[in-house]
Amino acid sequence: MTERHGSDSRDRTKPGIGARAREYLRSPAPAGMVVLAVLVGTGAGYGAVAFRWLIAGAQQGYFEGMRWLLPWLGPYYVILVPAAGGLVVGALVCFLAREAKGHGVPEVMLAVMHRGGRIRSRVSVVKSLASAVCIGSGGSAGREGPIVQIGSALGSTLGQALKLSEARLRLLVACGAASGISATFNAPIAGVLFALEVILRDFSVRSFAMVVLSSVSAVVISHIYLGDSPAFTVGQLYSLVSVWELPLYFLLGLMAGLVARAFIWTLYKTEDLFDAWRFPEHLKPVVGGLMVGTIGVWFPQVFGVGYETIDASLAGRVAVGLLWILILAKMAATSLTLGAGGSGGVFAPSLFIGAMLGGAFGHLVHQAYPAVTATSGAYALVGMGAVFAGTAHAPMTAVLILFEMTGDYRIIGPLMVATVVSSLLSEFLSRDSIYTLKLSRRGVDVLGAAPDLLDTIRVSEAMTTEFESLSPDVSVSEIMDGLSKSELHSLPVVDTHHVLVGIVSRSDAEDAALGGQPRITAGDIMTPAPVTCAVDESLTLALQRLTLGDFSALPVIDPAQGSQPVGMVRRRDIIGAYQRARRQRPGLAARMEQMGESLAGARVFEAVVLDGSPAANREVRSLSLPQGALLVGVRREGRTLIPRGDTVLAPRDRVVAIAEREQVAALRRLFARKSDEG
């Protein structure tokens, strides 16, 4: 099946006011970007207000409605409330927008780093509804992740409608994220830092200015409708009572770092268990909801965002025994909610767990040393920031957001100590935060250096649209006939609705033909649920998946059209797109400029870096690679990295390179021991 797409629509009429406005907003002048930043901030502000109202409405409807419908259950009716919400959430996520599953921030990071800031417009609507129902029906999750994704989707949709460049599109996504945080928590400074530190990872003056404008616009809208009071109520102003408290806050930071890693591990372990469970995907949130409801019968504090319990802990009104229990209960409830497929954030649960940890620790130390320590509320406040810093690896955001959300600056010194200690310990235990780990598990590295050229090219720019798809019931001979007419070594298998169900490779067909079983069909030998790429993903991701799975080609799907294959992408397609982009974009790094003029006839070379070889423990930029050879991948401890100039090759790394046939011998010598050469 061959698909060709093209259009030739030319507007020969004189541009109207709308067209002139679009041209103004798309112009390189900063004024256009200023207007867009304010528009995104205003829209995200209204989105945050509407989201808060949706949650309140869902909470009223589910809890009051089910109490009225099930009076004979007494207090045990709450077991069914999160399950009822899970039924709606599962349907929304599975059938309308899978990006709405989970806590949202990793999807925004992925869009910024590898999709040029592109987020589907429907995500904001589905995420709003799914998260409001999930949180309102008692799901243990926060509202910051959803509003970050909602605001980011708004910024992305506006930028795509105006056909902005990828750099400006990414910036609008960051503006949306900052606006969401700012409006939700009444914390404009922390919203800005969250967007720059976690999402955009860019502290340039231009980025800072636009994100600030967007954040302030969102807070103005929030103040109009929700007031300007802090998110949490602190009964008294806390401060450092004695310098002898600093070691105690240091110890609290260590405990917070360990608890943060335990929370991250529990969340993703629960997600793995639900993913491995063979059960209808859209019903898994129902099961998770039943488990959360069971916990909530005895500990109702775990339902929803839990701000009332945090306020009680800050005021020292929660018994110390209950504080210790709620740490584990909230950790379990949040992991079950999100791991089962619910929709919500992890920001508020991190603050909740931190407040319980700090409050419990504060009770103990104040009983032991009442003359030189503050009351438990001070430690609860510091614990909130410390656990969040440990989960998000964002100590600056943690410090500022606690200041803005409580209005208490006097405890800033202990807060800085605990957050930095927690963040450092958490990073020492694992380089990934609760946000980046979700992407790392997919083979996406967002913690590396600045994006390379392949990061800037979309799969849609490289894929081939000339391919033939197979029906599951075609015979082996028909498969061989289709492969013989195609340049591809693998063909997609689609059902009667043209939905991708598998892929058949040439080796699969040849093995079946040699087996002498004429009744075997494509459905019998295909690889079901194949690895795919989306049209808006970067070639970096496509190359990682091709290399990691040793595939000859990957089917390409357009999320806007469901699971129908719209193209195929191969290594040669990636090489061709890379070469075209290199010629069209001058001023690249010296490594790119020194590559050969053509990679026609090149082959893929793999080798293991041996200890004692010329390449071992050296940066890629210092290697004497043959002229024109390109190092495209490094497999290390089960992960695939895209090598950059400052990447250091370690012994036992498996490297993947593209080179001419006559250059292979030189590459082998580079990665072999000197004693093994010759």
Side-chain angles (χ1 to χ4, degrees), residues 599-625:
L599 285 178
R603 59 178 296 183
V604 177
F605 165 83
E606 293 192 35
V608 175
V609 179
L610 299 180
D611 197 6
S613 68
N617 302 311
R618 291 182 59 187
E619 291 185 345
V620 169
R621 65 165 63 96
S622 68
L623 299 181
S624 300
L625 291 170

Side-chain angles (χ1 to χ4, degrees), residues 35 175 400 592:
V35 174
C175 287
L400 281 175
M592 300 177 188

Side-chain angles (χ1 to χ4, degrees), residues 238-258:
Y238 296 114
S239 61
L240 186 67
V241 174
S242 166
V243 294
W244 296 107
E245 276 194 295
L246 285 178
L248 297 175
Y249 284 114
F250 186 94
L251 179 58
L252 177 58
L254 291 176
M255 294 172 63
L258 294 175

Side-chain angles (χ1 to χ4, degrees), residues 203-443:
F203 286 87
S204 67
V205 173
R206 179 181 176 84
S207 298
F208 180 78
M210 299 306 165
V211 172
V212 165
L213 288 171
S214 193
S215 180
V216 171
S217 302
V219 167
V220 169
I221 300 300
S222 176
H223 283 183
I224 293 173
Y225 293 95
L226 303 176
D228 61 352
S229 58
F232 298 113
T233 303
V234 180
Q236 65 184 89
L237 294 178
Y238 296 114
S239 61
L240 186 67
V241 174
S242 166
V243 294
W244 296 107
E245 276 194 295
L246 285 178
L248 297 175
Y249 284 114
F250 186 94
L251 179 58
L252 177 58
L254 291 176
M255 294 172 63
L258 294 175
V259 168
R261 292 316 311 178
F263 178 37
I264 295 171
W265 182 88
T266 304
L267 174 62
Y268 285 104
K269 187 65 176 177
T270 306
E271 186 176 295
D272 288 342
L273 292 173
F274 273 98
D275 286 343
W277 184 26
R278 294 189 175 182
F279 192 72
E281 196 75 20
H282 63 284
L283 295 180
K284 289 180 181 179
V286 178
V287 178
L290 287 172
M291 296 179 180
V292 172
T294 302
I295 296 174
V297 170
W298 287 276
F299 304 105
Q301 297 89 344
V302 304
F303 286 142
V305 294
Y307 282 4
E308 296 84 359
T309 308
I310 292 176
D311 280 339
S313 177
L314 292 174
R317 298 196 305 267
V318 184
V320 63
L322 181 59
L323 289 169
W324 289 114
I325 294 173
L326 287 178
I327 295 172
L328 300 177
K330 187 67 172 181
M331 201 179 294
T334 302
S335 299
L336 289 167
T337 299
L338 300 179
S343 182
V346 294
F347 194 119
S350 298
L351 297 179
F352 184 102
I353 294 169
M356 301 306 109
L357 174 67
F361 180 78
H363 271 291
L364 295 180
V365 298
H366 190 62
Q367 278 188 333
Y369 312 105
V372 295
T373 59
T375 57
S376 64
Y379 289 87
L381 181 60
V382 172
M384 291 167 64
V387 171
F388 170 71
T391 56
H393 293 183
M396 289 189 293
T397 300
V399 169
L400 281 175
I401 203 165
L402 260 296
F403 163 58
E404 289 191 288
M405 291 173 71
T406 61
D408 190 353
Y409 182 79
R410 298 173 63 185
I411 199 71
I412 197 75
L415 181 60
M416 292 173 67
V417 170
T419 54
V420 168
V421 170
S422 174
S423 184
L424 288 174
L425 176 60
S426 181
E427 287 193 59
F428 173 77
L429 296 174
S430 173
R431 69 191 289 265
D432 282 304
S433 70
I434 198 167
Y435 300 128
T436 62
L437 182 58
K438 187 170 185 177
L439 301 177
S440 296
R441 286 152 55 93
R442 300 181 193 169

